[in-house]
Amino acid sequence: MWWFFRIISSSVFLLTVVLSIPISFDVGGRDSGLAYSLSLFAFYLLYSSAKLATPDNSRIRWAFTKFLQSSQWVVIPGLLIWSLHNFAVDANSTDWVSRTIGGLGSRNHSTWSDWFFGNGGLVESVTLGSWDKALRYSSPVFQLAEGFCTLLVIQAAGQISRWLVNRGRSDTWVLILLILSASIIASAVYFLWRVALFPSISNVDATLIGVTVTSAVFLCAIGIGTGRGNPVESSLLFAYVVLCVYQIFTDYVQSPEAQAVAAEQAANQPEFPPLPPIIMASYSTLVHLFNLLPSAVYSSLSFLHAAFQTIAPSVMISLVYRIIVFYCATRIIPAVRESGARALMQEPSLDDSDDANRLLGFLSWFSPSILIAVYTSLLLQHFSASNNEEGWTLRHGDAGGNTWRWVNVAATMSLYAIELYLGSDDDGGLVNHWKTD
């Protein structure tokens, strides 16, 4: 029963982090968001270090970690209020230009300690500036780590599918896996066709896309033909390559030209209901029921909707994808490799004979801090400032980093090619100890 409460607690923590960090950026500005994310990072780094450094059977460890775990529901909103109060744009009558764009109007400090430790002093500027630079320089590392974890998940999926085929009822599993692989490839081809229609693609971009897709198809064909890969691995690799190409050339939002064309088409369409009358009647009833909810519930739902609207779609998609592949690479794959699905709810261990599992277990201990750093780095890629009345936003910035995305695609396919070259036809390291009927 405890696993259910752990899932609920983890979900609430994830939702809190996903909503609170962009709120600090959107309400208080760049400095406020950086201060809040840094304080959250330090808090969970202390929590993870305390759990890792103390013995499992220590009472001091149990008391200290339980105290930190219980206090996080007070610490998170407290840190958010603290950052908005001390680092927001309007805090202490400091304008946006002086705090966020360049600090042109320097603050006058009365004493040396105030200049060094005070609000807007040297320690604050160096700390926030170092955190900002660290996140920006870590963005390529996060991108390459995403590709590496994705490759681990692809290999694990291929080995599990091979085990399913060989365990019995092979014809049924072969058919199911072929249908799944074909569906994945068809979806990837559709999005690749969408990329080909983007007006911003130049001749150089088209050449890079052609070389990348051709290389991916060649690797997939080599893997299936030699028997060292299978359709599941090939389809997932091709889908990931298309995903990376799609993220390079779009931000998951319509261009102004596409929005104008869609508005014109909507204006020329006759005013027919989009769905059958019985469905529209049910929808109207559902909306009416939502309007009858208590004001507190309605306000909470409105707040959640407004909070999610501050996040760019590409940030949310990238975050969800990185969480999934990181969790699979650090928890699911090592657990299933060692003792099957029963180990999924156990804490990761550093006492492992496999060096790779030991490294992944070490990273999983600091997963909350890594999540905060990755999420803040994604938000900073879309943070932009302007001199108009909007001031700043998290949705219209230039994400950049296309060079490292191309490097990630090339590195992922290169690692997969090396794996095909060094692997064997019956490689089943993940499932070679599983029982077969």
Side-chain angles (χ1 to χ4, degrees):
M1 189 64 181
W2 286 107
W3 62 269
F4 178 76
F5 292 103
R6 290 185 60 182
I7 293 176
I8 296 297
S9 176
S10 301
S11 302
V12 172
F13 159 74
L14 183 60
L15 181 63
T16 304
V17 171
V18 167
L19 294 181
S20 61
I21 295 181
I23 287 175
S24 63
F25 275 101
D26 190 66
V27 176
R30 189 186 190 89
D31 287 353
S32 178
L34 287 173
Y36 176 63
S37 64
L38 178 58
S39 58
L40 272 184
F41 178 85
F43 174 76
Y44 283 103
L45 185 64
L46 174 64
Y47 174 66
S48 301
S49 301
K51 292 179 63 178
L52 186 62
T54 54
D56 294 340
N57 55 356
S58 175
R59 294 183 178 180
I60 298 178
R61 175 188 189 269
W62 182 86
F64 186 67
T65 55
K66 288 299 180 182
F67 171 75
L68 292 179
Q69 185 177 5
S70 302
S71 63
Q72 65 180 342
W73 310 114
V74 180
V75 170
I76 292 178
L79 290 176
L80 179 60
I81 296 173
W82 167 78
S83 63
L84 292 177
H85 175 72
N86 293 281
F87 299 94
V89 174
D90 296 329
N92 298 324
S93 301
T94 305
D95 60 347
W96 165 254
V97 176
S98 63
R99 287 193 61 88
T100 307
I101 294 183
L104 299 178
S106 59
R107 189 191 302 271
N108 295 324
H109 299 279
S110 57
T111 61
W112 179 86
S113 61
D114 186 29
W115 174 82
F116 194 80
F117 296 105
N119 191 11
L122 180 62
V123 173
E124 175 186 320
S125 301
V126 171
T127 303
L128 294 183
S130 301
W131 178 240
D132 186 12
K133 293 296 183 182
L135 291 176
R136 289 194 173 274
Y137 291 142
S138 299
S139 180
V141 178
F142 296 147
Q143 190 72 45
L144 296 176
E146 172 194 308
F148 179 73
C149 293
T150 300
L151 188 59
L152 291 179
V153 174
I154 290 174
Q155 292 177 338
Q159 293 178 12
I160 293 175
S161 64
R162 189 179 294 112
W163 177 80
L164 290 174
V165 171
N166 295 332
R167 67 183 294 268
R169 297 182 180 179
S170 58
D171 294 339
T172 303
W173 280 113
V174 166
L175 182 61
I176 293 175
L177 294 176
L178 283 178
I179 294 175
L180 177 63
S181 302
S183 302
I184 295 175
I185 293 177
S187 302
V189 170
Y190 167 75
F191 284 101
L192 189 62
W193 172 75
R194 290 282 303 272
V195 172
L197 299 180
F198 290 161
S200 59
I201 295 180
S202 62
N203 293 331
V204 177
D205 297 331
T207 303
L208 290 175
I209 294 174
V211 171
T212 302
V213 174
T214 303
S215 302
V217 172
F218 178 77
L219 280 178
C220 295
I222 290 295
I224 296 176
T226 59
R228 298 179 180 180
N230 54 47
V232 174
E233 285 186 9
S234 300
S235 62
L236 291 177
L237 178 66
F238 182 75
Y240 179 67
V241 170
V242 173
L243 173 65
C244 293
V245 172
Y246 195 82
Q247 288 180 335
I248 290 173
F249 296 102
T250 184
D251 200 25
Y252 299 97
V253 293
Q254 288 183 328
S255 62
E257 296 82 3
Q259 292 179 359
V261 172
E264 183 179 358
Q265 292 178 353
N268 296 330
Q269 290 289 338
E271 295 184 357
F272 291 118
L275 295 173
I278 185 173
I279 298 180
M280 292 300 299
S282 302
Y283 171 76
S284 302
T285 304
L286 184 62
V287 172
H288 179 69
L289 291 177
F290 274 115
N291 292 330
L292 296 179
L293 291 174
S295 58
V297 177
Y298 190 77
S299 301
S300 301
L301 295 177
S302 301
F303 171 77
L304 291 176
H305 178 265
F308 277 111
Q309 289 299 312
T310 63
I311 309 173
S314 60
V315 172
M316 185 59 62
I317 294 174
S318 299
L319 178 67
V320 171
Y321 180 78
R322 289 183 179 183
I323 288 175
I324 292 174
V325 296
F326 179 77
Y327 185 81
C328 290
T330 57
R331 295 297 299 273
I332 295 179
I333 295 176
V336 173
R337 177 183 295 174
E338 291 298 326
S339 54
R342 294 186 302 273
L344 291 178
M345 302 309 300
Q346 299 176 1
E347 292 290 342
S349 175
L350 300 181
D351 300 330
D352 201 298
S353 58
D354 192 351
D355 293 335
N357 284 356
R358 191 181 299 112
L359 175 61
L360 295 175
F362 178 79
L363 293 177
S364 65
W365 279 98
F366 297 94
S367 56
S369 300
I370 296 175
L371 168 65
I372 293 170
V374 171
Y375 188 35
T376 308
S377 176
L378 289 173
L379 290 174
L380 285 175
Q381 294 176 15
H382 295 264
F383 187 91
S384 63
S386 60
N387 294 324
N388 55 22
E389 61 181 8
E390 189 179 24
W392 63 91
T393 181
L394 288 170
R395 297 179 65 89
H396 304 305
D398 183 13
N402 290 339
T403 302
W404 285 105
R405 288 189 174 97
W406 285 117
V407 171
N408 175 43
V409 174
T412 303
M413 290 193 297
S414 300
L415 289 176
Y416 185 73
I418 295 174
E419 176 67 21
L420 291 179
Y421 177 76
L422 298 178
S424 59
D425 297 343
D426 56 348
D427 185 17
L430 178 67
V431 297
N432 53 8
H433 65 285
W434 288 9
K435 180 181 179 182
T436 302
D437 295 335

